[in-house]
Amino acid sequence: MGETSLALFDLVGRNNHLVIEADSRNWALARHMFDLNQKDVRIKFGILFSGGSAVGEIAFASHTNASSSSAYNREGSETVEHVPAFSFEQVIDADRATQLELDIEGGEYELFVQARSLGSLRRIILEAHPDIIGEARMSEMLSALKANGFEQILNHNNSRFLILDRPA
């Protein structure tokens, strides 16, 4: 847990790295990993949303398999908790982020299709979930990213792992 975040932290530094985790179990474990490795990683407990006004909180389904927890209440979910919601556009703009790495178990569809702006982002590293959102929504999401100037530079495992770049 948190290995990717630790590696990115070392590559880009604290001020260029922000982790947002919606599953309270994963948040606590990641925080513990960062502390054990003596890394002052900026981590927020919550979930990103896009395209609308402030919503305060969003329902989040904690799955028996913590890596499958999601805003989608899928079979195997143990509990649904309400977590703080952060505006995707505001977070990207405030941090002037140029790179985004995410694995949000199907939430990528709403995040990118509803986004009003992708701000300063130049690269997106994405674990997509066509098995959750369906092929039609996957195609719609990729079209929305293309409309914002992003091009796929890596497509691995039948669109499950993607890297998209937007020229400066």
Side-chain angles (χ1 to χ4, degrees), residues 79-134:
T79 61
V80 174
E81 58 184 321
H82 288 81
V83 299
F86 304 108
S87 163
F88 172 68
E89 295 87 353
Q90 288 176 0
V91 168
I92 296 299
D93 289 345
D95 275 18
R96 294 184 305 278
T98 59
Q99 182 166 302
L100 176 68
E101 183 266 330
L102 67 160
D103 174 7
I104 54 176
E105 302 303 317
E108 63 272 11
Y109 170 76
E110 282 86 4
L111 192 69
F112 292 125
V113 169
Q114 296 176 10
R116 292 182 176 161
S117 167
L118 297 177
S120 53
L121 287 177
R122 295 287 170 249
R123 172 168 285 172
I124 298 170
I125 303 168
L126 169 67
E127 181 178 342
H129 298 84
D131 53 319
I132 296 173
I133 65 174

Side-chain angles (χ1 to χ4, degrees), residues 20-38:
I20 299 175
E21 175 59 57
D23 189 303
S24 58
R25 298 166 301 174
N26 289 345
W27 183 90
L29 185 56
R31 178 76 268 156
H32 182 68
M33 283 284 292
F34 301 152
D35 290 344
L36 284 175
N37 286 279
Q38 299 178 349

Side-chain angles (χ1 to χ4, degrees), residues 1-12:
M1 170 53 77
E3 297 91 353
T4 303
S5 289
L6 287 170
L8 287 172
F9 179 89
D10 286 340
L11 283 171
V12 302

